[in-house]
């Protein structure tokens, strides 16, 4: 996998406030040959224009993160796919780390450790627990910049077309192929969700939703509760 091309897929919806900075941060990867794809779910702001101005390939997709990521992957030309949130920043050598992680062939997918930016100190603990839980269970979240070979993506049928927990379900599917490469290098993701809703309130809500999903609750119902 050392020479495999990397395609980075960003699902966006009205992300004009931060998309320009996200693409600027990815520019070094693009200069090294990575393909940058923005999968827009029908933004009403200037997200599409910013994607084109930032040198990304724009894909118009049905609204919904899973649907957008699948649409972006369908247009990607790389042998390795990464799915990245617009408010997440990669380590400078992310492409080399991914290539090294997949080079042996025993692992066909993986994720990074995460750090959460924001003022509350509790966010550091939340990030540490996320990383620990993911390393023990093999389940990753979208905040951790999921990556995988194209063959693995296609083998599991892509992301499930559900409105929430698509990353959890994708991890479950990929676990049938291999354990994930859990990279200790950290991506930085925004803590705005926790800060705007309240840190403890958000943590308790996510625990409740994950438990309900584990018990078999419909993703559509959980998406309503998440809103």
């Amino acid at each position: 996998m050392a020479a495999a091309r990397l395609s980075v897929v960003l699902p966006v919806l009205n992300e004009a406030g931060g998309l320009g900075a996200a693409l600027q941060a990815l520019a070094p990867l693009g200069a090294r040959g990575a393909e940058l794809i923005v999968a827009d779910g029908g933004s009403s702001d200037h997200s599409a224009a910013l994607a084109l101005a930032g040198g990304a390939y724009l894909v118009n997709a049905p609204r919904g993160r899973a649907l957008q990521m699948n649409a972006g992957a369908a247009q990607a030309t790389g042998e390795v796919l990464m799915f990245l949130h617009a408010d997440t920043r990669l380590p400078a050598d992310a492409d080399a780390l991914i290539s090294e992680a997949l080079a042996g062939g025993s692992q066909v997918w993986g994720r990074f450790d995460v750090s959460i930016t924001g003022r509350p100190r509790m966010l550091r603990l939340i990030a540490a627990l996320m990383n620990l839980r993911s390393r023990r269970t093999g389940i990753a979240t979208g905040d951790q910049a999921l990556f995988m070979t194209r063959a693995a993506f296609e083998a599991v049928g892509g992301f499930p077309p559900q409105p929430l927990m698509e990353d959890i379900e994708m991890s479950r599917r990929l676990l049938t192929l291999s354990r994930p490469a859990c990279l200790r290098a950290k991506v930085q993701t925004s803590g705005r969700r926790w800060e705007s809703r309240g840190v403890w309130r958000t943590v308790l809500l996510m625990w409740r939703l994950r438990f309900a999903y584990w018990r078999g609750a419909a993703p559509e119902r959980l998406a309503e509760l998440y809103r």
Side-chain angles (χ1 to χ4, degrees), residues 133-155:
R133 180 191 65 215
S134 177
R135 187 164 279 106
R136 288 186 173 180
T137 64
I139 300 296
T141 68
D143 291 326
Q144 293 174 297
L146 279 164
F147 58 86
M148 64 204 69
T149 65
R150 172 178 290 280
F153 178 85
E154 293 176 349

Side-chain angles (χ1 to χ4, degrees), residues 33-52:
E35 179 179 45
L36 308 181
I37 298 175
V38 171
D40 187 79
S43 295
S44 58
D45 61 9
H46 301 298
S47 292
L50 287 170
L52 294 173

Side-chain angles (χ1 to χ4, degrees), residues 195-211:
E195 291 183 288
S196 64
R197 299 185 177 188
V199 173
W200 279 111
R201 180 183 177 189
T202 302
V203 169
L204 292 173
L205 174 62
M206 294 308 300
W207 283 352
R208 176 187 173 195
L209 294 178
R210 287 177 187 275
F211 181 71

Side-chain angles (χ1 to χ4, degrees), residues 171-215:
S171 295
R172 289 178 175 176
R173 295 181 180 187
L174 289 167
L175 277 169
T176 65
L177 304 179
S178 79
R179 291 284 298 181
C182 296
L183 303 188
R184 293 192 180 276
K186 292 182 179 180
V187 297
Q188 290 188 339
T189 193
S190 171
R192 62 184 179 179
R193 179 178 64 199
W194 286 273
E195 291 183 288
S196 64
R197 299 185 177 188
V199 173
W200 279 111
R201 180 183 177 189
T202 302
V203 169
L204 292 173
L205 174 62
M206 294 308 300
W207 283 352
R208 176 187 173 195
L209 294 178
R210 287 177 187 275
F211 181 71
Y213 187 68
W214 179 73
R215 293 288 301 273

Side-chain angles (χ1 to χ4, degrees), residues 14-203:
N14 296 326
E15 293 281 358
L19 183 56
L23 292 173
Q24 185 176 8
L26 289 170
L29 268 70
R32 294 196 293 268
E35 179 179 45
L36 308 181
I37 298 175
V38 171
D40 187 79
S43 295
S44 58
D45 61 9
H46 301 298
S47 292
L50 287 170
L52 294 173
Y57 180 75
L58 178 65
V59 175
N60 294 309
R63 180 174 299 189
R65 182 171 285 166
L67 299 176
Q68 291 168 233
M69 290 189 291
N70 286 341
Q75 298 300 317
T77 61
E79 294 115 323
V80 176
L81 308 174
M82 174 196 283
F83 300 93
L84 184 69
H85 293 181
D87 61 357
T88 299
R89 299 292 178 265
L90 296 170
D93 57 346
D95 48 352
L97 293 171
I98 291 171
S99 181
E100 181 181 358
L102 301 179
S106 61
Q107 293 171 303
V108 296
W109 70 290
R111 91 312 179 263
F112 290 84
D113 273 3
V114 66
S115 64
I116 305 173
T117 62
R119 295 180 62 184
R121 293 185 179 181
M122 187 65 185
L123 295 176
R124 300 172 190 171
L125 177 60
I126 292 171
L129 292 175
M130 286 173 60
N131 297 330
L132 178 62
R133 180 191 65 215
S134 177
R135 187 164 279 106
R136 288 186 173 180
T137 64
I139 300 296
T141 68
D143 291 326
Q144 293 174 297
L146 279 164
F147 58 86
M148 64 204 69
T149 65
R150 172 178 290 280
F153 178 85
E154 293 176 349
V156 299
F159 285 91
Q162 57 192 59
L164 197 66
M165 303 293 177
E166 76 287 339
D167 47 1
I168 305 301
E169 186 60 35
M170 185 61 158
S171 295
R172 289 178 175 176
R173 295 181 180 187
L174 289 167
L175 277 169
T176 65
L177 304 179
S178 79
R179 291 284 298 181
C182 296
L183 303 188
R184 293 192 180 276
K186 292 182 179 180
V187 297
Q188 290 188 339
T189 193
S190 171
R192 62 184 179 179
R193 179 178 64 199
W194 286 273
E195 291 183 288
S196 64
R197 299 185 177 188
V199 173
W200 279 111
R201 180 183 177 189
T202 302
V203 169

